[in-house]
């Protein structure tokens, strides 16, 4: 039994290959499954975070003139500013958490370099690539797009000023123009500024997702996706040469990069999610199956946030211990387990942080109900857990229905439209995130779309089966599941459109590592068939 326990552990393969005594193996098991407090590892898992991304701003144009022998006053030859760096995003394998992005908070692409003399353009800013786990949902909270705001202002007020009455020269704007370095403030009144160039966007901006950003990265991406294009650089002084001003001493500044505030959330937390009451042995079971160093203890609420463990099926040291294939036919070399904190009665009413814990359970592919055979009736425990899951699903369905009905009753209104008639420009009725003309109230984000909990495959793991007095309780659980599989018993959650597969139970002793070798086989069969 001891040798079977570590079939899912790559780090303990040396214990199996090298000859050792039974006592040393037993001590290794005990040190991992019942560790001292200094062996605990802090979970850094994060399945939801908010980040601020900013595309690089454009570099400034250069004010320069040709300087050669026998040429007293050469023509303007200042280069244009470089384009700012882009922000890309890519869903890759191997990433299982968002804690790296949550720790950084803000990600900024570098700005483009300024133009140089001899008509040398500035170099492009460095791009940034955001790598997220497969199954990440990205939703936009707000945005600040200076170029878009300038285009909107021009569109709103283009009919208020007659083009024939427009002044012959522009005005100095510190955020748009650059003067020759030797200029003094009194020169501002003497310089004939041309008409301000219109706001420009990079050609790559056409590849950006439409606002508001709402992406579901459910598959591995071979190529990154553009999230925010860098701003274009400013013009050098050759762009402003005219008959009146053959040697202009002005250049334009680069555009300011767009910034986005995004919410990232994992749609699939793990392949398997542990569901159970507090102190049912979930963390000990996680340590028995994986390399996790989750905190364990003989008291309730030892786990306060999800712990993620990885069960290795193929350690690349010979023939795989388990031959497994995913739903898409891909060979599975490992699967992940989420140790979700224990649920308490009325968890769907957010008692004991119940809504947060139920949200984690909702995003597991397979549910593993961890039942303590030494405390209470196992059948009643299953019914209590399923009741909380079903009630949570009802609460979520009502919330989604309320939001969908609320959107139908919204009234489109704009301060630039006549209340007695429809506005001529239909674009005034739409509100984009970050718009200064929109409502000041924040639009709620759409709910995360996941499959209903009742449709997920599930199994039961009966823990603490080595204790006295648990045999009768296990037999009652077996009899109940047999009637449930035959259809003579109603689903424990009293729902009709539930998963119709066969429910199995695996008796184990997690603290001793006995019986856990049967869990990967059961999980693989459920993942492959669903």
């Amino acid at each position: 039994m001891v040798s079977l326990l570590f079939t899912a552990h790559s780090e303990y393969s040396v214990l199996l290959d090298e000859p050792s005594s039974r006592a040393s193996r037993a001590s290794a098991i005990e040190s991992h499954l019942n560790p001292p407090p200094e062996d605990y590892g802090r979970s850094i898992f994060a399945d939801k975070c908010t980040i601020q991304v900013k595309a690089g701003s454009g570099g400034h144009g250069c004010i320069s003139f040709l300087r050669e022998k026998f040429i007293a006053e050469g023509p303007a030859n200042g280069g244009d500013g470089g384009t700012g760096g882009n922000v890309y995003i890519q869903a890759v394998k191997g990433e299982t958490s968002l804690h790296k992005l949550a720790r950084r908070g803000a990600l900024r692409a570098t700005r483009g370099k300024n133009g140089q003399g001899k008509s040398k353009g500035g170099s492009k800013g460095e791009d940034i690539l955001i790598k997220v786990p497969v199954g990440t949902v990205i939703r936009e909270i707000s945005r600040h797009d200076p170029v878009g705001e300038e285009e909107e202002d021009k569109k709103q007020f283009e009919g208020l000023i007659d083009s024939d009455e427009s002044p012959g020269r522009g005005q100095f704007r510190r955020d748009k123009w650059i003067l020759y370095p030797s200029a003094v403030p009194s020169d501002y009144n003497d310089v004939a500024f041309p008409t301000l160039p219109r706001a420009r966007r990079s050609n790559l901006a056409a590849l950006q997702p439409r606002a508001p950003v709402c992406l579901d990265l459910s598959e591995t991406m071979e190529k990154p996706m553009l999230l925010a294009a860098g701003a274009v650089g400013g013009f050098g002084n050759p762009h402003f040469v005219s008959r009146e001003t053959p040697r202009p001493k002005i250049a334009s500044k680069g555009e300011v990069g767009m910034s986005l505030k995004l919410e990232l959330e994992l749609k699939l937390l793990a392949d398997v999610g542990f569901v159970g009451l507090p102190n049912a042995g979930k963390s000990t079971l996680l340590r028995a199956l994986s390399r996790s160093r989750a905190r364990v203890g003989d008291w309730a609420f030892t786990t306060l946030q999800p712990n993620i463990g990885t069960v290795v099926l193929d350690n690349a040291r010979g023939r795989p211990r388990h031959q497994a294939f995913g739903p898409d036919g891909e060979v599975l070399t490992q699967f992940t387990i989420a140790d979700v904190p224990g649920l308490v009665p009325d968890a769907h009413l957010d008692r004991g942080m119940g809504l947060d814990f139920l949200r984690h359970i909702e995003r597991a592919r397979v549910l593993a109900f961890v039942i303590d055979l030494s405390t209470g009736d196992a059948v009643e425990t299953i019914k209590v857990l399923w009741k909380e899951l079903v009630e949570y699903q009802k609460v979520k369905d009502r919330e989604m229905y309320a939001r969908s009905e609320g959107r139908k009753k919204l009234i489109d209104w704009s301060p630039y439209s006549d209340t007695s008639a429809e506005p001529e420009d239909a674009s005034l009725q739409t509100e984009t995130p970050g718009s200064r003309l929109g409502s000041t109230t924040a639009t709620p984000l759409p709910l995360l779309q996941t499959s209903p909990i009742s449709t997920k495959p599930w199994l039961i793991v009966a823990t603490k089966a080595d204790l006295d007095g648990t045999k009768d309780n296990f037999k009652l659980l077996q009899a109940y599941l047999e009637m449930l599989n035959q259809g003579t018993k109603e689903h424990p959650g009293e729902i009709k459109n539930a998963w119709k597969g066969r429910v199995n139970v695996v008796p184990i002793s997690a603290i001793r590592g006995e019986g856990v070798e049967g869990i990967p086989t059961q999980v693989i069969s459920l993942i492959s068939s669903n």
Side-chain angles (χ1 to χ4, degrees):
M1 184 66 67
V2 174
S3 62
L4 290 176
L5 167 64
F6 294 108
T7 56
H9 292 264
S10 59
E11 77 273 21
Y12 292 115
S13 58
V14 179
L15 297 176
L16 299 176
D17 299 335
E18 298 179 357
S20 58
S21 63
R22 187 180 300 273
S24 61
R25 292 184 180 181
S27 62
I29 297 173
E30 183 180 0
S31 62
H32 181 69
L33 301 182
N34 191 16
E38 57 268 15
D39 186 62
Y40 298 154
R42 185 178 65 88
S43 175
I44 56 175
F45 175 79
D47 62 340
K48 188 176 182 180
C49 70
T50 301
I51 61 174
Q52 188 90 20
V53 298
K54 187 178 187 303
S57 301
H60 302 327
C62 176
I63 305 174
S64 176
F65 303 96
L66 179 64
R67 300 182 63 182
E68 290 185 2
K69 191 176 182 180
F70 305 117
I71 300 179
E73 295 183 352
N77 65 349
D80 298 339
T83 305
N86 305 319
V87 180
Y88 294 91
I89 192 166
Q90 185 179 14
V92 297
K93 288 186 177 180
E95 295 287 342
T96 59
S97 175
L98 298 173
H99 70 277
K100 297 178 183 178
L101 297 176
R103 183 171 60 246
R104 295 183 64 179
L107 300 95
R108 300 174 181 270
T110 58
R111 65 183 298 271
K113 301 296 182 180
N114 297 335
Q116 302 178 20
K118 299 182 180 180
S119 300
K120 292 182 180 179
S123 59
K124 181 180 178 297
E126 295 184 2
D127 303 334
I128 59 173
L129 176 61
I130 304 174
K131 294 183 178 180
V132 296
V134 178
T136 302
V137 176
I138 303 170
R139 295 174 288 185
E140 178 183 326
I141 299 177
S142 61
R143 71 167 52 200
H144 174 60
D145 187 5
V147 177
E149 292 178 356
E150 188 170 344
E151 291 177 346
E152 185 179 0
D153 289 344
K154 183 179 180 181
K155 186 176 181 180
Q156 296 290 341
F157 300 104
E158 61 183 358
L160 299 182
I161 300 177
D162 190 359
S163 58
D164 296 336
E165 299 178 359
S166 58
R169 63 179 185 177
Q171 297 179 353
F172 174 73
R173 289 180 55 180
R174 188 175 295 274
D175 60 332
K176 294 295 182 180
W177 294 108
I178 296 178
L179 291 182
Y180 198 66
S182 61
V184 295
S186 59
D187 296 338
Y188 295 165
N189 298 326
D190 301 332
V191 175
F193 291 97
T195 304
L196 189 67
R198 64 178 180 84
R200 298 175 298 138
R201 292 184 183 271
S202 171
N203 294 332
L204 292 177
L207 302 178
Q208 293 177 172
R210 291 186 177 182
V213 177
C214 188
L215 303 175
D216 186 358
L217 308 181
S218 57
E219 297 180 357
T220 305
M221 302 170 60
E222 297 182 358
K223 297 181 180 180
M225 175 189 295
L226 179 64
L227 198 60
V232 296
F235 290 129
N237 59 339
H239 290 271
F240 307 104
V241 174
S242 63
R243 183 177 300 178
E244 294 79 10
T245 311
R247 302 180 76 246
K249 294 185 178 182
I250 57 174
S252 63
K253 291 186 177 181
E255 302 290 348
V256 181
M258 178 178 60
S259 62
L260 297 172
K261 187 176 182 180
L262 304 173
E263 181 186 78
L264 279 65
E265 189 172 2
L266 289 180
K267 184 171 63 174
L268 181 62
L269 178 65
D271 295 317
V272 183
F274 286 163
V275 185
L277 298 177
N279 200 25
K282 299 183 293 297
S283 299
T284 306
L285 176 58
L286 182 67
R287 294 182 70 106
L289 288 170
S290 68
R291 300 174 57 181
S292 174
R293 297 173 56 196
R295 180 186 181 189
V296 295
D298 190 15
W299 60 85
F301 295 106
T302 307
T303 304
L304 298 179
Q305 60 182 355
N307 295 313
I308 304 298
T310 302
V311 177
V312 180
L313 304 176
D314 184 4
N315 59 2
R317 296 184 180 180
R319 181 175 298 177
R321 298 182 178 91
H322 300 275
Q323 190 70 20
F325 298 92
D328 53 355
E330 184 181 1
V331 178
L332 292 179
T333 59
Q334 62 186 23
F335 65 87
T336 55
I337 301 177
D339 172 24
V340 181
L343 301 178
V344 297
D346 295 333
H348 66 281
L349 301 177
D350 205 16
R351 181 182 178 187
M353 297 178 65
L355 291 181
D356 291 338
F357 300 158
L358 287 167
R359 181 173 58 87
H360 300 316
I361 296 172
E362 182 187 18
R363 286 176 287 147
R365 184 176 296 174
V366 177
L367 303 181
F369 289 83
V370 182
I371 305 300
D372 185 0
L373 295 176
S374 63
T375 57
D377 187 1
V379 177
E380 291 298 325
T381 303
I382 286 291
K383 293 181 179 180
V384 169
L385 293 174
W386 264 113
K387 177 185 176 182
E388 296 301 326
L389 297 182
V390 172
E391 291 297 329
Y392 169 73
Q393 188 64 45
K394 292 180 181 179
V395 171
K396 185 178 178 181
D397 292 342
R398 286 195 295 266
E399 182 179 358
M400 187 174 299
Y401 176 78
R403 287 195 179 187
S404 62
E405 289 297 318
R407 291 193 186 98
K408 297 178 182 178
K409 299 178 181 179
L410 291 179
I411 299 176
D412 296 328
W413 177 82
S414 173
Y416 289 91
S417 62
D418 187 4
T419 57
S420 60
E422 293 292 333
E424 297 179 359
D425 190 357
S427 62
L428 296 179
Q429 292 182 316
T430 60
E431 177 185 347
T432 58
S435 175
R436 295 170 297 172
L437 303 179
S439 174
T440 57
T441 59
T443 304
L445 295 177
L447 293 177
L448 186 64
Q449 299 291 338
T450 56
S451 58
I453 298 178
S454 58
T455 61
K456 298 180 183 293
W458 57 289
L459 74 155
I460 297 178
V461 179
T463 61
K464 304 180 183 179
D466 57 324
L467 300 181
D468 296 334
T470 58
K471 186 175 181 180
D472 296 336
N473 198 6
F474 179 72
K475 287 183 177 180
L476 293 175
L477 180 60
Q478 274 187 318
Y480 173 77
L481 292 180
E482 188 63 28
M483 291 184 291
L484 180 64
N485 292 327
Q486 293 177 359
T488 58
K489 277 287 186 180
E490 191 180 12
H491 189 275
E494 299 180 358
I495 49 181
K496 297 181 180 180
N497 299 325
W499 179 66
K500 301 297 183 181
R502 180 176 179 83
V503 182
N504 297 319
V505 57
V506 182
I508 66 164
S509 174
I511 195 66
R512 296 184 179 182
E514 298 176 356
V516 296
E517 68 278 356
I519 298 178
T521 305
Q522 296 288 340
V523 171
I524 290 171
S525 63
L526 293 177
I527 294 177
S528 302
S529 60
N530 294 273

